[in-house]
Amino acid sequence: VATNGAFDITGLDEPLKSLCENRAARAVAARWETTKGAPTHVTAFRTRSAKEASYRINVVDGTVIIEAGDDAGFLNAAGRLAQLVRSDGERLVIPSCAISDAPKVKWRGVHMFVGPRALEFQSRLIDRMLVPLLFTHAVLQCERTAWACLPAMAAQKYMTRQDLAAHGR
């Protein structure tokens, strides 16, 4: 597994595919410094019988298959897949396994505030804590944003609208 674009997930529409690949790659990059390893091909399937935000991962002989019924399930699976990455000497590998997981509660969230340096901190918080813990929601309180309709508010202690928009990526 290489961290720079190593997860290639087929079977999903492009926006969800990119979100899952980026989530997995960022989570691996947060834990490992090396990029050595073969790119990992992941095949994803939608299943109707899955509970909301649930997923199944099967890894056998380097073949990775993800099954989920909704986008939240695929995003949760991408985060879990990154947690499975292990070191094998100088290479990163994903061991054979079978995992089925479903949230016990529908809403697992956090309330965050904005500010001039919040984006960098919250991005690390999301990648290092919220994704691995499978949080499902974030409430972003954004009254401290430099809104165009309130030009007097555009002081140094406010988040830019561009940084606020970056939270959605």
Short mmCIF file of all heavy atoms in Angstrom, two decimals, residues 1-34:
data_model
loop_
_atom_site.label_atom_id
_atom_site.label_comp_id
_atom_site.label_asym_id
_atom_site.label_seq_id
_atom_site.Cartn_x
_atom_site.Cartn_y
_atom_site.Cartn_z
N VAL A 1 0.85 -1.17 0.00
CA VAL A 1 0.00 0.00 0.00
C VAL A 1 0.89 1.23 0.00
O VAL A 1 1.72 1.38 0.87
CB VAL A 1 -0.90 0.03 1.25
CG1 VAL A 1 -1.68 1.31 1.31
CG2 VAL A 1 -1.80 -1.17 1.27
N ALA A 2 0.75 2.06 -0.96
CA ALA A 2 1.46 3.34 -0.98
C ALA A 2 0.45 4.41 -0.59
O ALA A 2 -0.73 4.31 -0.93
CB ALA A 2 2.01 3.61 -2.37
N THR A 3 0.89 5.42 0.14
CA THR A 3 -0.07 6.41 0.62
C THR A 3 -0.48 7.40 -0.46
O THR A 3 -1.52 8.02 -0.36
CB THR A 3 0.50 7.19 1.81
OG1 THR A 3 1.71 7.82 1.39
CG2 THR A 3 0.73 6.28 2.98
N ASN A 4 0.31 7.56 -1.49
CA ASN A 4 -0.01 8.56 -2.50
C ASN A 4 -0.86 7.96 -3.62
O ASN A 4 -0.36 7.55 -4.65
CB ASN A 4 1.26 9.19 -3.07
CG ASN A 4 2.25 8.14 -3.54
OD1 ASN A 4 2.04 6.95 -3.31
ND2 ASN A 4 3.31 8.57 -4.19
N GLY A 5 -2.16 7.88 -3.40
CA GLY A 5 -3.07 7.38 -4.41
C GLY A 5 -3.06 5.88 -4.57
O GLY A 5 -3.40 5.37 -5.63
N ALA A 6 -2.67 5.15 -3.54
CA ALA A 6 -2.51 3.70 -3.67
C ALA A 6 -3.82 2.95 -3.63
O ALA A 6 -3.87 1.82 -4.07
CB ALA A 6 -1.60 3.18 -2.57
N PHE A 7 -4.86 3.53 -3.09
CA PHE A 7 -6.14 2.84 -3.03
C PHE A 7 -6.92 3.14 -4.29
O PHE A 7 -7.25 4.28 -4.57
CB PHE A 7 -6.94 3.28 -1.79
CG PHE A 7 -6.32 2.83 -0.51
CD1 PHE A 7 -5.50 3.67 0.21
CD2 PHE A 7 -6.54 1.55 -0.03
CE1 PHE A 7 -4.93 3.25 1.39
CE2 PHE A 7 -5.97 1.12 1.15
CZ PHE A 7 -5.15 1.97 1.86
N ASP A 8 -7.19 2.12 -5.06
CA ASP A 8 -7.98 2.23 -6.28
C ASP A 8 -9.27 1.46 -6.05
O ASP A 8 -9.25 0.24 -5.98
CB ASP A 8 -7.21 1.67 -7.47
CG ASP A 8 -8.06 1.64 -8.74
OD1 ASP A 8 -8.98 2.47 -8.85
OD2 ASP A 8 -7.81 0.79 -9.59
N ILE A 9 -10.37 2.17 -5.86
CA ILE A 9 -11.64 1.53 -5.52
C ILE A 9 -12.55 1.54 -6.73
O ILE A 9 -12.94 2.61 -7.21
CB ILE A 9 -12.31 2.25 -4.32
CG1 ILE A 9 -11.38 2.23 -3.11
CG2 ILE A 9 -13.65 1.60 -3.99
CD1 ILE A 9 -11.86 3.04 -1.93
N THR A 10 -12.88 0.37 -7.24
CA THR A 10 -13.79 0.29 -8.38
C THR A 10 -15.18 -0.10 -7.88
O THR A 10 -15.32 -0.71 -6.82
CB THR A 10 -13.32 -0.74 -9.41
OG1 THR A 10 -13.23 -2.01 -8.79
CG2 THR A 10 -11.97 -0.36 -9.99
N GLY A 11 -16.19 0.25 -8.65
CA GLY A 11 -17.56 -0.12 -8.32
C GLY A 11 -18.36 1.01 -7.68
O GLY A 11 -19.53 0.83 -7.38
N LEU A 12 -17.75 2.17 -7.48
CA LEU A 12 -18.45 3.32 -6.88
C LEU A 12 -18.49 4.46 -7.88
O LEU A 12 -17.61 4.58 -8.74
CB LEU A 12 -17.73 3.78 -5.61
CG LEU A 12 -17.60 2.77 -4.49
CD1 LEU A 12 -16.81 3.36 -3.33
CD2 LEU A 12 -18.97 2.30 -4.01
N ASP A 13 -19.49 5.35 -7.73
CA ASP A 13 -19.52 6.52 -8.59
C ASP A 13 -18.36 7.44 -8.23
O ASP A 13 -17.80 7.36 -7.14
CB ASP A 13 -20.87 7.24 -8.51
CG ASP A 13 -21.21 7.73 -7.11
OD1 ASP A 13 -20.33 7.77 -6.24
OD2 ASP A 13 -22.37 8.09 -6.89
N GLU A 14 -17.96 8.30 -9.14
CA GLU A 14 -16.72 9.07 -9.00
C GLU A 14 -16.62 9.91 -7.73
O GLU A 14 -15.60 9.86 -7.07
CB GLU A 14 -16.48 9.94 -10.23
CG GLU A 14 -15.11 10.60 -10.26
CD GLU A 14 -13.95 9.62 -10.06
OE1 GLU A 14 -13.96 8.53 -10.64
OE2 GLU A 14 -13.03 9.96 -9.28
N PRO A 15 -17.62 10.69 -7.34
CA PRO A 15 -17.44 11.48 -6.11
C PRO A 15 -17.21 10.60 -4.87
O PRO A 15 -16.31 10.88 -4.07
CB PRO A 15 -18.75 12.26 -5.98
CG PRO A 15 -19.31 12.31 -7.35
CD PRO A 15 -18.89 11.03 -8.00
N LEU A 16 -17.97 9.52 -4.73
CA LEU A 16 -17.80 8.64 -3.57
C LEU A 16 -16.48 7.89 -3.66
O LEU A 16 -15.80 7.72 -2.65
CB LEU A 16 -18.97 7.67 -3.47
CG LEU A 16 -18.93 6.69 -2.29
CD1 LEU A 16 -18.88 7.44 -0.95
CD2 LEU A 16 -20.13 5.76 -2.33
N LYS A 17 -16.11 7.46 -4.85
CA LYS A 17 -14.82 6.77 -5.06
C LYS A 17 -13.68 7.66 -4.58
O LYS A 17 -12.81 7.23 -3.83
CB LYS A 17 -14.68 6.43 -6.54
CG LYS A 17 -13.32 5.92 -6.97
CD LYS A 17 -13.32 5.67 -8.48
CE LYS A 17 -12.00 5.47 -9.13
NZ LYS A 17 -11.02 4.70 -8.50
N SER A 18 -13.68 8.93 -5.00
CA SER A 18 -12.62 9.86 -4.60
C SER A 18 -12.60 10.09 -3.10
O SER A 18 -11.54 10.12 -2.48
CB SER A 18 -12.78 11.20 -5.32
OG SER A 18 -12.55 11.04 -6.69
N LEU A 19 -13.78 10.28 -2.51
CA LEU A 19 -13.85 10.47 -1.05
C LEU A 19 -13.27 9.28 -0.31
O LEU A 19 -12.48 9.44 0.63
CB LEU A 19 -15.30 10.69 -0.61
CG LEU A 19 -15.89 12.07 -0.79
CD1 LEU A 19 -17.38 12.04 -0.48
CD2 LEU A 19 -15.18 13.08 0.09
N CYS A 20 -13.64 8.08 -0.71
CA CYS A 20 -13.15 6.86 -0.04
C CYS A 20 -11.65 6.69 -0.22
O CYS A 20 -10.93 6.40 0.73
CB CYS A 20 -13.89 5.63 -0.55
SG CYS A 20 -15.61 5.55 -0.01
N GLU A 21 -11.16 6.88 -1.45
CA GLU A 21 -9.72 6.75 -1.71
C GLU A 21 -8.93 7.77 -0.91
O GLU A 21 -7.90 7.44 -0.31
CB GLU A 21 -9.45 6.90 -3.20
CG GLU A 21 -9.91 5.74 -4.03
CD GLU A 21 -9.82 5.97 -5.53
OE1 GLU A 21 -9.60 7.13 -5.97
OE2 GLU A 21 -9.98 5.00 -6.26
N ASN A 22 -9.40 9.02 -0.88
CA ASN A 22 -8.70 10.07 -0.13
C ASN A 22 -8.74 9.80 1.37
O ASN A 22 -7.75 10.00 2.06
CB ASN A 22 -9.30 11.44 -0.44
CG ASN A 22 -8.97 11.90 -1.83
OD1 ASN A 22 -8.00 11.46 -2.43
ND2 ASN A 22 -9.80 12.76 -2.38
N ARG A 23 -9.89 9.35 1.89
CA ARG A 23 -10.00 9.06 3.31
C ARG A 23 -9.00 7.97 3.70
O ARG A 23 -8.28 8.09 4.68
CB ARG A 23 -11.41 8.63 3.68
CG ARG A 23 -11.53 8.20 5.13
CD ARG A 23 -12.94 7.98 5.56
NE ARG A 23 -13.55 9.28 5.80
CZ ARG A 23 -14.75 9.44 6.32
NH1 ARG A 23 -15.48 8.40 6.64
NH2 ARG A 23 -15.24 10.63 6.52
N ALA A 24 -8.93 6.90 2.93
CA ALA A 24 -8.02 5.80 3.23
C ALA A 24 -6.56 6.26 3.12
O ALA A 24 -5.75 5.96 4.00
CB ALA A 24 -8.29 4.62 2.31
N ALA A 25 -6.23 6.98 2.07
CA ALA A 25 -4.85 7.42 1.87
C ALA A 25 -4.41 8.38 2.98
O ALA A 25 -3.29 8.27 3.49
CB ALA A 25 -4.70 8.07 0.50
N ARG A 26 -5.27 9.32 3.37
CA ARG A 26 -4.91 10.26 4.45
C ARG A 26 -4.74 9.53 5.77
O ARG A 26 -3.85 9.84 6.55
CB ARG A 26 -5.98 11.35 4.57
CG ARG A 26 -5.89 12.42 3.52
CD ARG A 26 -6.71 13.67 3.84
NE ARG A 26 -7.84 13.48 4.70
CZ ARG A 26 -9.10 13.46 4.32
NH1 ARG A 26 -9.41 13.62 3.06
NH2 ARG A 26 -10.08 13.30 5.19
N ALA A 27 -5.60 8.55 6.04
CA ALA A 27 -5.50 7.80 7.29
C ALA A 27 -4.21 6.99 7.35
O ALA A 27 -3.58 6.90 8.40
CB ALA A 27 -6.71 6.89 7.47
N VAL A 28 -3.80 6.42 6.23
CA VAL A 28 -2.54 5.67 6.20
C VAL A 28 -1.37 6.65 6.36
O VAL A 28 -0.43 6.39 7.12
CB VAL A 28 -2.40 4.85 4.90
CG1 VAL A 28 -1.00 4.28 4.75
CG2 VAL A 28 -3.43 3.73 4.90
N ALA A 29 -1.40 7.78 5.67
CA ALA A 29 -0.32 8.76 5.75
C ALA A 29 -0.16 9.31 7.16
O ALA A 29 0.95 9.66 7.57
CB ALA A 29 -0.57 9.90 4.75
N ALA A 30 -1.25 9.38 7.93
CA ALA A 30 -1.17 9.88 9.30
C ALA A 30 -0.44 8.89 10.21
O ALA A 30 0.12 9.29 11.23
CB ALA A 30 -2.57 10.15 9.86
N ARG A 31 -0.41 7.60 9.84
CA ARG A 31 0.21 6.58 10.69
C ARG A 31 1.57 6.11 10.22
O ARG A 31 2.36 5.61 11.01
CB ARG A 31 -0.72 5.37 10.77
CG ARG A 31 -1.99 5.64 11.52
CD ARG A 31 -2.91 4.43 11.57
NE ARG A 31 -2.24 3.25 12.04
CZ ARG A 31 -2.46 2.03 11.56
NH1 ARG A 31 -3.33 1.84 10.61
NH2 ARG A 31 -1.81 1.01 12.04
N TRP A 32 1.85 6.20 8.92
CA TRP A 32 3.06 5.61 8.36
C TRP A 32 3.82 6.62 7.54
O TRP A 32 3.25 7.40 6.81
CB TRP A 32 2.70 4.41 7.48
CG TRP A 32 1.92 3.36 8.18
CD1 TRP A 32 0.57 3.19 8.17
CD2 TRP A 32 2.43 2.34 9.04
NE1 TRP A 32 0.21 2.13 8.95
CE2 TRP A 32 1.33 1.58 9.50
CE3 TRP A 32 3.71 1.98 9.47
CZ2 TRP A 32 1.48 0.50 10.36
CZ3 TRP A 32 3.86 0.90 10.32
CH2 TRP A 32 2.76 0.17 10.75
N GLU A 33 5.16 6.57 7.62
CA GLU A 33 5.99 7.49 6.85
C GLU A 33 6.35 6.94 5.48
O GLU A 33 6.58 7.67 4.55
CB GLU A 33 7.27 7.81 7.62
CG GLU A 33 7.01 8.63 8.86
CD GLU A 33 8.28 8.96 9.61
OE1 GLU A 33 9.38 8.79 9.05
OE2 GLU A 33 8.17 9.41 10.76
N THR A 34 6.40 5.65 5.35
CA THR A 34 6.82 5.04 4.09
C THR A 34 5.70 5.06 3.06
O THR A 34 4.54 5.14 3.42
CB THR A 34 7.29 3.59 4.31
OG1 THR A 34 7.79 3.09 3.07
CG2 THR A 34 6.17 2.70 4.78
#
